[in-house]
Amino acid sequence: MTDATFDGASRRAFLALAAATPALINAAPAAAKSGAWKDAVIVNALGGLDNPNLKDEGGESNVSRGVRKPRVLDARALADARRSGVTAINCTLGYVAGGGDPYEVTIASIAQYDRMVRSYPADVTKVLTAGDILKAKRDRKVGLIYGFQNAAMVADKLERVDVFADLGVRVIQLTYNPANHIGDGSMAPENRGLTAFGRQVVERLNDNRIMVDLSHSGEQTCLEAARVSRQPISINHTGCRALVDLPRNKTDAELKLVAEKGGFVGVYFMPFLNKDGKVRAADIVAHIEHALNVCGEDHVGIGTDGTITQIDDMDAYRADLAKEVADRKARGIGATGEGPETYPFAIDMRGPTQFYDLADRLKARGHSTGRIEKILGGNFVRYAKDVWGA
């Protein structure tokens, strides 16, 4: 991508990145510099290609928990993505919570991402099949997987699932934290399963070969979806409740059934991995290892639920985070374990070296190169082949 393709803000970010590049390179772990994992396909099963240091027109951060605010492709975010080695990212599009008509918000969001893909054809590509992920690796592009974190935009119209499939949506999460007309989210106290309409939605998602994601669902909704789905389902970003008993983490029963049905489980880098809310790299490794023990090595990956570009000004970020957590609580969409000091990333494993750092840590724990490459992205590609096709 040439400098002529940047808008003004992106050009300034790129120049700032260029000035900082020597220090950033020197800070990279040995694996990143030696290229030990350069051939690995890395898939972030839930993340973003955003610069969280940017502000929108209202002064809010470009990224908030659970909601990505797409804009023109930022130069620093793209450079960090390239350094990270990431091959593809499941990006959250459309309505998650808040105001506006969910369907209209979602259609506008898809159109905005499509414009971004058309504007930067040398840098990003839209992923429709598992083969597109592998092609993105060969072409040195970042693959964008269109995904939803709520199915509210379906409303009571099953045919909308067909529309979303035709527009290139490849992942639909059934619920966010509260209950909706499809099933109960992780924070719904009743912990009911799918509604009658929810079972129809799962069937329609299967018909369209869209991934059924149960990341924010309640336990019964997840178990029932895994049982009724004709295709394997996924939990693209979660932790293990056996290690930390919080609603956003999944029970061993959920993890095991998803794996037995041929599905995929992505471990996030979120505060729910540690009982004090301050996640560290060791916590991420521990949850991955527990998931491996429950699911087997063919069903576990990563879904960080975060960006690659790291926060620069942590003092300012803490103030923004406190406001965001309070707002989420007021709107009834927060989760137990969120707080003003619970960062949605590992403080000791963030930025563009995070995937290489994780691979090194797993290697040091005795995991084989083959297993680590499955966790980094191979397992997601296998699962994508089963659902989307090659």
Side-chain angles (χ1 to χ4, degrees):
M1 182 167 65
T2 67
D3 188 58
T5 65
F6 299 163
D7 67 353
S10 296
R11 185 180 294 106
R12 289 190 293 274
F14 179 76
L15 293 174
L17 175 67
T21 295
L24 290 171
I25 291 175
N26 290 334
K33 289 189 283 189
S34 69
W37 307 102
K38 66 180 178 64
D39 294 329
V41 172
I42 300 175
V43 180
N44 190 351
L46 195 283
L49 187 61
D50 310 276
N51 182 349
N53 300 291
L54 299 179
K55 304 287 184 179
D56 65 16
E57 292 82 357
E60 298 296 322
S61 171
N62 189 40
V63 178
S64 62
R65 227 173 253 190
V67 183
R68 300 296 188 271
K69 302 175 182 178
R71 57 170 69 230
V72 295
L73 191 59
D74 176 68
R76 176 179 172 185
L78 178 61
D80 284 348
R82 291 194 182 283
R83 272 193 67 219
S84 77
V86 72
T87 308
I89 306 169
N90 172 24
C91 300
T92 299
L93 281 70
Y95 180 90
V96 178
D101 178 79
Y103 184 73
E104 292 181 2
V105 168
T106 299
I107 293 297
S109 178
I110 293 170
Q112 189 170 10
Y113 264 80
D114 279 347
R115 285 195 297 273
M116 186 174 71
V117 171
R118 289 195 301 269
S119 298
Y120 301 91
D123 305 298
V124 295
T125 186
K126 187 173 180 177
V127 170
L128 299 176
T129 67
D132 289 339
I133 298 176
L134 302 179
K135 187 174 187 301
K137 176 71 175 179
R138 293 193 300 271
D139 294 345
R140 297 179 53 81
K141 297 180 183 181
V142 178
L144 303 183
I145 302 166
Y146 289 13
F148 297 166
Q149 281 204 73
N150 197 337
M153 64 286 287
V154 174
D156 60 353
K157 299 175 174 61
L158 281 174
E159 62 273 16
R160 287 185 176 178
V161 175
D162 309 337
V163 173
F164 295 136
D166 290 344
L167 290 174
V169 176
R170 288 297 176 262
V171 182
I172 294 185
Q173 185 175 287
L174 297 188
T175 74
Y176 197 56
N177 289 330
N180 64 15
H181 60 306
I182 290 171
D184 277 11
S186 61
M187 294 306 301
E190 296 84 1
N191 189 28
R192 298 163 298 193
L194 291 170
T195 65
F197 182 71
R199 288 188 285 276
Q200 291 181 289
V201 170
V202 171
E203 182 177 8
R204 198 65 163 246
L205 292 171
N206 290 164
D207 291 343
N208 283 279
R209 304 189 75 169
I210 294 176
M211 289 181 179
V212 179
D213 183 6
L214 277 298
S215 293
H216 281 255
S217 74
E219 181 179 15
Q220 293 306 316
T221 299
C222 180
L223 292 172
E224 187 171 352
R227 294 187 183 110
V228 304
S229 177
R230 303 191 311 273
Q231 295 170 346
I233 69 165
S234 61
I235 308 170
N236 283 351
H237 58 297
T238 192
C240 304
R241 200 178 298 185
L243 300 186
V244 179
D245 188 12
L246 288 172
R248 271 293 285 114
N249 293 333
K250 292 297 187 181
T251 63
D252 282 0
E254 293 169 273
L255 300 175
K256 188 171 188 291
L257 183 59
V258 168
E260 287 177 348
K261 296 289 188 175
F264 170 86
V265 173
V267 173
Y268 48 31
F269 294 9
M270 292 289 279
F272 312 114
L273 299 186
N274 187 297
K275 63 182 179 180
D276 69 9
K278 293 180 172 62
V279 64
R280 300 163 183 86
D283 300 315
I284 297 168
V285 170
H287 282 258
I288 287 175
E289 290 184 333
H290 183 84
L292 288 169
N293 289 335
V294 173
C295 302
E297 70 172 46
D298 294 325
H299 303 279
V300 179
I302 51 176
T304 68
D305 202 4
T307 62
I308 296 171
T309 297
Q310 68 184 34
I311 302 290
D312 294 333
D313 186 343
M314 288 297 296
D315 290 335
Y317 176 72
R318 276 189 286 270
D320 289 341
L321 181 62
K323 288 169 53 181
E324 182 190 343
V325 169
D327 177 66
R328 284 169 59 80
K329 182 177 180 181
R331 291 194 288 152
I333 62 170
T336 303
E338 290 182 9
E341 295 292 330
T342 58
Y343 307 139
F345 49 80
I347 195 68
D348 59 343
M349 195 176 75
R350 61 194 183 111
T353 62
Q354 59 189 274
F355 304 122
Y356 294 131
D357 190 0
L358 174 63
D360 284 348
R361 290 172 186 271
L362 290 170
K363 190 72 173 177
R365 293 277 298 169
H367 298 280
S368 69
T369 297
R371 173 181 287 177
I372 294 167
E373 288 181 344
K374 288 181 181 181
I375 294 167
L376 289 176
N379 284 337
F380 187 92
V381 173
R382 187 275 310 162
Y383 168 61
K385 286 180 180 177
D386 290 345
V387 178
W388 302 337

PDB file of all heavy atoms in Angstrom, residues 233-258:
ATOM      1  N   ILE A 233     -20.481 -26.778  15.642  1.00  0.00           N
ATOM      2  CA  ILE A 233     -20.608 -25.385  16.059  1.00  0.00           C
ATOM      3  C   ILE A 233     -19.302 -24.928  16.700  1.00  0.00           C
ATOM      4  O   ILE A 233     -18.382 -25.718  16.916  1.00  0.00           O
ATOM      5  CB  ILE A 233     -21.782 -25.185  17.034  1.00  0.00           C
ATOM      6  CG1 ILE A 233     -21.474 -25.845  18.380  1.00  0.00           C
ATOM      7  CG2 ILE A 233     -23.075 -25.710  16.435  1.00  0.00           C
ATOM      8  CD1 ILE A 233     -22.395 -25.403  19.489  1.00  0.00           C
ATOM      9  N   SER A 234     -19.239 -23.641  17.024  1.00  0.00           N
ATOM     10  CA  SER A 234     -18.021 -23.101  17.624  1.00  0.00           C
ATOM     11  C   SER A 234     -18.338 -22.245  18.840  1.00  0.00           C
ATOM     12  O   SER A 234     -19.452 -21.743  19.014  1.00  0.00           O
ATOM     13  CB  SER A 234     -17.243 -22.266  16.605  1.00  0.00           C
ATOM     14  OG  SER A 234     -18.017 -21.168  16.159  1.00  0.00           O
ATOM     15  N   ILE A 235     -17.332 -22.108  19.687  1.00  0.00           N
ATOM     16  CA  ILE A 235     -17.306 -21.121  20.764  1.00  0.00           C
ATOM     17  C   ILE A 235     -16.033 -20.328  20.477  1.00  0.00           C
ATOM     18  O   ILE A 235     -14.949 -20.690  20.907  1.00  0.00           O
ATOM     19  CB  ILE A 235     -17.256 -21.784  22.151  1.00  0.00           C
ATOM     20  CG1 ILE A 235     -18.365 -22.827  22.309  1.00  0.00           C
ATOM     21  CG2 ILE A 235     -17.351 -20.734  23.243  1.00  0.00           C
ATOM     22  CD1 ILE A 235     -18.221 -23.684  23.560  1.00  0.00           C
ATOM     23  N   ASN A 236     -16.169 -19.265  19.704  1.00  0.00           N
ATOM     24  CA  ASN A 236     -14.997 -18.625  19.115  1.00  0.00           C
ATOM     25  C   ASN A 236     -14.145 -17.834  20.091  1.00  0.00           C
ATOM     26  O   ASN A 236     -12.968 -17.593  19.819  1.00  0.00           O
ATOM     27  CB  ASN A 236     -15.415 -17.720  17.955  1.00  0.00           C
ATOM     28  CG  ASN A 236     -15.739 -18.497  16.701  1.00  0.00           C
ATOM     29  OD1 ASN A 236     -15.500 -19.698  16.633  1.00  0.00           O
ATOM     30  ND2 ASN A 236     -16.279 -17.831  15.702  1.00  0.00           N
ATOM     31  N   HIS A 237     -14.716 -17.409  21.220  1.00  0.00           N
ATOM     32  CA  HIS A 237     -13.901 -16.689  22.209  1.00  0.00           C
ATOM     33  C   HIS A 237     -14.480 -16.919  23.597  1.00  0.00           C
ATOM     34  O   HIS A 237     -15.563 -16.471  23.916  1.00  0.00           O
ATOM     35  CB  HIS A 237     -13.791 -15.197  21.882  1.00  0.00           C
ATOM     36  CG  HIS A 237     -15.077 -14.448  21.781  1.00  0.00           C
ATOM     37  ND1 HIS A 237     -16.037 -14.726  20.839  1.00  0.00           N
ATOM     38  CD2 HIS A 237     -15.568 -13.412  22.514  1.00  0.00           C
ATOM     39  CE1 HIS A 237     -17.060 -13.893  20.980  1.00  0.00           C
ATOM     40  NE2 HIS A 237     -16.806 -13.096  21.999  1.00  0.00           N
ATOM     41  N   THR A 238     -13.735 -17.647  24.402  1.00  0.00           N
ATOM     42  CA  THR A 238     -14.189 -18.019  25.735  1.00  0.00           C
ATOM     43  C   THR A 238     -13.013 -18.420  26.598  1.00  0.00           C
ATOM     44  O   THR A 238     -11.865 -18.421  26.156  1.00  0.00           O
ATOM     45  CB  THR A 238     -15.217 -19.169  25.661  1.00  0.00           C
ATOM     46  OG1 THR A 238     -15.852 -19.325  26.928  1.00  0.00           O
ATOM     47  CG2 THR A 238     -14.544 -20.487  25.269  1.00  0.00           C
ATOM     48  N   GLY A 239     -13.322 -18.756  27.846  1.00  0.00           N
ATOM     49  CA  GLY A 239     -12.352 -19.347  28.757  1.00  0.00           C
ATOM     50  C   GLY A 239     -12.962 -20.588  29.376  1.00  0.00           C
ATOM     51  O   GLY A 239     -14.062 -21.017  28.994  1.00  0.00           O
ATOM     52  N   CYS A 240     -12.291 -21.162  30.354  1.00  0.00           N
ATOM     53  CA  CYS A 240     -12.717 -22.424  30.957  1.00  0.00           C
ATOM     54  C   CYS A 240     -13.251 -22.172  32.364  1.00  0.00           C
ATOM     55  O   CYS A 240     -12.514 -21.734  33.252  1.00  0.00           O
ATOM     56  CB  CYS A 240     -11.550 -23.406  31.013  1.00  0.00           C
ATOM     57  SG  CYS A 240     -10.789 -23.720  29.400  1.00  0.00           S
ATOM     58  N   ARG A 241     -14.528 -22.476  32.583  1.00  0.00           N
ATOM     59  CA  ARG A 241     -15.141 -22.208  33.877  1.00  0.00           C
ATOM     60  C   ARG A 241     -14.572 -23.097  34.970  1.00  0.00           C
ATOM     61  O   ARG A 241     -14.645 -22.753  36.164  1.00  0.00           O
ATOM     62  CB  ARG A 241     -16.657 -22.365  33.799  1.00  0.00           C
ATOM     63  CG  ARG A 241     -17.362 -21.638  34.948  1.00  0.00           C
ATOM     64  CD  ARG A 241     -18.873 -21.733  34.871  1.00  0.00           C
ATOM     65  NE  ARG A 241     -19.409 -21.125  33.676  1.00  0.00           N
ATOM     66  CZ  ARG A 241     -20.719 -21.006  33.430  1.00  0.00           C
ATOM     67  NH1 ARG A 241     -21.589 -21.450  34.326  1.00  0.00           N
ATOM     68  NH2 ARG A 241     -21.143 -20.453  32.305  1.00  0.00           N
ATOM     69  N   ALA A 242     -14.018 -24.240  34.614  1.00  0.00           N
ATOM     70  CA  ALA A 242     -13.397 -25.096  35.625  1.00  0.00           C
ATOM     71  C   ALA A 242     -12.223 -24.401  36.293  1.00  0.00           C
ATOM     72  O   ALA A 242     -11.889 -24.711  37.447  1.00  0.00           O
ATOM     73  CB  ALA A 242     -12.934 -26.409  34.982  1.00  0.00           C
ATOM     74  N   LEU A 243     -11.603 -23.443  35.592  1.00  0.00           N
ATOM     75  CA  LEU A 243     -10.473 -22.707  36.167  1.00  0.00           C
ATOM     76  C   LEU A 243     -10.915 -21.416  36.836  1.00  0.00           C
ATOM     77  O   LEU A 243     -10.376 -21.034  37.877  1.00  0.00           O
ATOM     78  CB  LEU A 243      -9.441 -22.393  35.076  1.00  0.00           C
ATOM     79  CG  LEU A 243      -8.813 -23.592  34.356  1.00  0.00           C
ATOM     80  CD1 LEU A 243      -7.713 -23.116  33.410  1.00  0.00           C
ATOM     81  CD2 LEU A 243      -8.262 -24.603  35.343  1.00  0.00           C
ATOM     82  N   VAL A 244     -11.852 -20.698  36.221  1.00  0.00           N
ATOM     83  CA  VAL A 244     -12.388 -19.457  36.792  1.00  0.00           C
ATOM     84  C   VAL A 244     -13.900 -19.481  36.589  1.00  0.00           C
ATOM     85  O   VAL A 244     -14.379 -19.460  35.454  1.00  0.00           O
ATOM     86  CB  VAL A 244     -11.774 -18.206  36.119  1.00  0.00           C
ATOM     87  CG1 VAL A 244     -12.373 -16.932  36.721  1.00  0.00           C
ATOM     88  CG2 VAL A 244     -10.256 -18.197  36.270  1.00  0.00           C
ATOM     89  N   ASP A 245     -14.635 -19.510  37.698  1.00  0.00           N
ATOM     90  CA  ASP A 245     -16.089 -19.706  37.645  1.00  0.00           C
ATOM     91  C   ASP A 245     -16.802 -18.379  37.396  1.00  0.00           C
ATOM     92  O   ASP A 245     -17.310 -17.734  38.321  1.00  0.00           O
ATOM     93  CB  ASP A 245     -16.566 -20.333  38.955  1.00  0.00           C
ATOM     94  CG  ASP A 245     -18.038 -20.739  38.913  1.00  0.00           C
ATOM     95  OD1 ASP A 245     -18.610 -20.741  37.804  1.00  0.00           O
ATOM     96  OD2 ASP A 245     -18.602 -21.054  39.981  1.00  0.00           O
ATOM     97  N   LEU A 246     -16.856 -17.987  36.117  1.00  0.00           N
ATOM     98  CA  LEU A 246     -17.555 -16.791  35.688  1.00  0.00           C
ATOM     99  C   LEU A 246     -18.465 -17.147  34.514  1.00  0.00           C
ATOM    100  O   LEU A 246     -18.130 -18.032  33.710  1.00  0.00           O
ATOM    101  CB  LEU A 246     -16.575 -15.687  35.277  1.00  0.00           C
ATOM    102  CG  LEU A 246     -15.792 -15.008  36.408  1.00  0.00           C
ATOM    103  CD1 LEU A 246     -14.726 -14.084  35.836  1.00  0.00           C
ATOM    104  CD2 LEU A 246     -16.726 -14.234  37.342  1.00  0.00           C
ATOM    105  N   PRO A 247     -19.601 -16.469  34.361  1.00  0.00           N
ATOM    106  CA  PRO A 247     -20.573 -16.857  33.322  1.00  0.00           C
ATOM    107  C   PRO A 247     -20.043 -16.816  31.901  1.00  0.00           C
ATOM    108  O   PRO A 247     -20.533 -17.583  31.055  1.00  0.00           O
ATOM    109  CB  PRO A 247     -21.707 -15.837  33.515  1.00  0.00           C
ATOM    110  CG  PRO A 247     -21.593 -15.382  34.927  1.00  0.00           C
ATOM    111  CD  PRO A 247     -20.127 -15.407  35.238  1.00  0.00           C
ATOM    112  N   ARG A 248     -19.072 -15.930  31.607  1.00  0.00           N
ATOM    113  CA  ARG A 248     -18.568 -15.843  30.236  1.00  0.00           C
ATOM    114  C   ARG A 248     -17.636 -16.993  29.890  1.00  0.00           C
ATOM    115  O   ARG A 248     -17.278 -17.186  28.727  1.00  0.00           O
ATOM    116  CB  ARG A 248     -17.868 -14.502  30.002  1.00  0.00           C
ATOM    117  CG  ARG A 248     -18.779 -13.419  29.523  1.00  0.00           C
ATOM    118  CD  ARG A 248     -19.317 -13.675  28.109  1.00  0.00           C
ATOM    119  NE  ARG A 248     -18.295 -13.415  27.098  1.00  0.00           N
ATOM    120  CZ  ARG A 248     -17.761 -14.317  26.320  1.00  0.00           C
ATOM    121  NH1 ARG A 248     -18.122 -15.588  26.404  1.00  0.00           N
ATOM    122  NH2 ARG A 248     -16.841 -13.975  25.440  1.00  0.00           N
ATOM    123  N   ASN A 249     -17.215 -17.762  30.870  1.00  0.00           N
ATOM    124  CA  ASN A 249     -16.407 -18.943  30.615  1.00  0.00           C
ATOM    125  C   ASN A 249     -17.315 -20.161  30.440  1.00  0.00           C
ATOM    126  O   ASN A 249     -18.429 -20.208  30.958  1.00  0.00           O
ATOM    127  CB  ASN A 249     -15.422 -19.176  31.759  1.00  0.00           C
ATOM    128  CG  ASN A 249     -14.372 -18.086  31.843  1.00  0.00           C
ATOM    129  OD1 ASN A 249     -14.033 -17.453  30.845  1.00  0.00           O
ATOM    130  ND2 ASN A 249     -13.847 -17.844  33.039  1.00  0.00           N
ATOM    131  N   LYS A 250     -16.826 -21.136  29.702  1.00  0.00           N
ATOM    132  CA  LYS A 250     -17.633 -22.311  29.376  1.00  0.00           C
ATOM    133  C   LYS A 250     -17.311 -23.495  30.291  1.00  0.00           C
ATOM    134  O   LYS A 250     -16.159 -23.728  30.664  1.00  0.00           O
ATOM    135  CB  LYS A 250     -17.404 -22.710  27.920  1.00  0.00           C
ATOM    136  CG  LYS A 250     -17.955 -21.694  26.913  1.00  0.00           C
ATOM    137  CD  LYS A 250     -19.453 -21.550  27.018  1.00  0.00           C
ATOM    138  CE  LYS A 250     -20.023 -20.674  25.920  1.00  0.00           C
ATOM    139  NZ  LYS A 250     -21.492 -20.511  26.052  1.00  0.00           N
ATOM    140  N   THR A 251     -18.361 -24.243  30.608  1.00  0.00           N
ATOM    141  CA  THR A 251     -18.199 -25.445  31.422  1.00  0.00           C
ATOM    142  C   THR A 251     -17.511 -26.542  30.601  1.00  0.00           C
ATOM    143  O   THR A 251     -17.524 -26.526  29.367  1.00  0.00           O
ATOM    144  CB  THR A 251     -19.558 -25.965  31.904  1.00  0.00           C
ATOM    145  OG1 THR A 251     -20.343 -26.350  30.755  1.00  0.00           O
ATOM    146  CG2 THR A 251     -20.303 -24.892  32.694  1.00  0.00           C
ATOM    147  N   ASP A 252     -16.976 -27.517  31.319  1.00  0.00           N
ATOM    148  CA  ASP A 252     -16.366 -28.656  30.623  1.00  0.00           C
ATOM    149  C   ASP A 252     -17.401 -29.391  29.781  1.00  0.00           C
ATOM    150  O   ASP A 252     -17.075 -29.927  28.711  1.00  0.00           O
ATOM    151  CB  ASP A 252     -15.742 -29.621  31.629  1.00  0.00           C
ATOM    152  CG  ASP A 252     -14.401 -29.132  32.164  1.00  0.00           C
ATOM    153  OD1 ASP A 252     -13.950 -28.033  31.748  1.00  0.00           O
ATOM    154  OD2 ASP A 252     -13.807 -29.831  33.017  1.00  0.00           O
ATOM    155  N   ALA A 253     -18.650 -29.423  30.243  1.00  0.00           N
ATOM    156  CA  ALA A 253     -19.698 -30.104  29.472  1.00  0.00           C
ATOM    157  C   ALA A 253     -19.881 -29.435  28.113  1.00  0.00           C
ATOM    158  O   ALA A 253     -20.030 -30.119  27.091  1.00  0.00           O
ATOM    159  CB  ALA A 253     -21.010 -30.100  30.254  1.00  0.00           C
ATOM    160  N   GLU A 254     -19.883 -28.094  28.089  1.00  0.00           N
ATOM    161  CA  GLU A 254     -20.016 -27.380  26.824  1.00  0.00           C
ATOM    162  C   GLU A 254     -18.806 -27.621  25.929  1.00  0.00           C
ATOM    163  O   GLU A 254     -18.941 -27.930  24.732  1.00  0.00           O
ATOM    164  CB  GLU A 254     -20.171 -25.883  27.091  1.00  0.00           C
ATOM    165  CG  GLU A 254     -21.465 -25.496  27.779  1.00  0.00           C
ATOM    166  CD  GLU A 254     -21.453 -24.061  28.250  1.00  0.00           C
ATOM    167  OE1 GLU A 254     -20.973 -23.815  29.379  1.00  0.00           O
ATOM    168  OE2 GLU A 254     -21.926 -23.176  27.500  1.00  0.00           O
ATOM    169  N   LEU A 255     -17.620 -27.455  26.487  1.00  0.00           N
ATOM    170  CA  LEU A 255     -16.395 -27.633  25.701  1.00  0.00           C
ATOM    171  C   LEU A 255     -16.334 -29.036  25.108  1.00  0.00           C
ATOM    172  O   LEU A 255     -16.020 -29.218  23.922  1.00  0.00           O
ATOM    173  CB  LEU A 255     -15.165 -27.379  26.581  1.00  0.00           C
ATOM    174  CG  LEU A 255     -15.031 -25.999  27.224  1.00  0.00           C
ATOM    175  CD1 LEU A 255     -13.824 -25.967  28.155  1.00  0.00           C
ATOM    176  CD2 LEU A 255     -14.900 -24.915  26.155  1.00  0.00           C
ATOM    177  N   LYS A 256     -16.650 -30.026  25.930  1.00  0.00           N
ATOM    178  CA  LYS A 256     -16.543 -31.418  25.492  1.00  0.00           C
ATOM    179  C   LYS A 256     -17.537 -31.727  24.380  1.00  0.00           C
ATOM    180  O   LYS A 256     -17.184 -32.373  23.378  1.00  0.00           O
ATOM    181  CB  LYS A 256     -16.775 -32.343  26.685  1.00  0.00           C
ATOM    182  CG  LYS A 256     -16.503 -33.822  26.426  1.00  0.00           C
ATOM    183  CD  LYS A 256     -16.550 -34.601  27.751  1.00  0.00           C
ATOM    184  CE  LYS A 256     -16.098 -36.046  27.549  1.00  0.00           C
ATOM    185  NZ  LYS A 256     -17.063 -36.816  26.755  1.00  0.00           N
ATOM    186  N   LEU A 257     -18.786 -31.278  24.538  1.00  0.00           N
ATOM    187  CA  LEU A 257     -19.795 -31.583  23.525  1.00  0.00           C
ATOM    188  C   LEU A 257     -19.478 -30.904  22.200  1.00  0.00           C
ATOM    189  O   LEU A 257     -19.622 -31.520  21.133  1.00  0.00           O
ATOM    190  CB  LEU A 257     -21.179 -31.159  24.011  1.00  0.00           C
ATOM    191  CG  LEU A 257     -22.338 -31.500  23.069  1.00  0.00           C
ATOM    192  CD1 LEU A 257     -22.408 -33.008  22.806  1.00  0.00           C
ATOM    193  CD2 LEU A 257     -23.657 -30.989  23.632  1.00  0.00           C
ATOM    194  N   VAL A 258     -19.039 -29.651  22.254  1.00  0.00           N
ATOM    195  CA  VAL A 258     -18.669 -28.948  21.020  1.00  0.00           C
ATOM    196  C   VAL A 258     -17.564 -29.700  20.296  1.00  0.00           C
ATOM    197  O   VAL A 258     -17.605 -29.886  19.072  1.00  0.00           O
ATOM    198  CB  VAL A 258     -18.262 -27.496  21.324  1.00  0.00           C
ATOM    199  CG1 VAL A 258     -17.606 -26.847  20.107  1.00  0.00           C
ATOM    200  CG2 VAL A 258     -19.472 -26.675  21.759  1.00  0.00           C
TER     201      VAL A 258
END
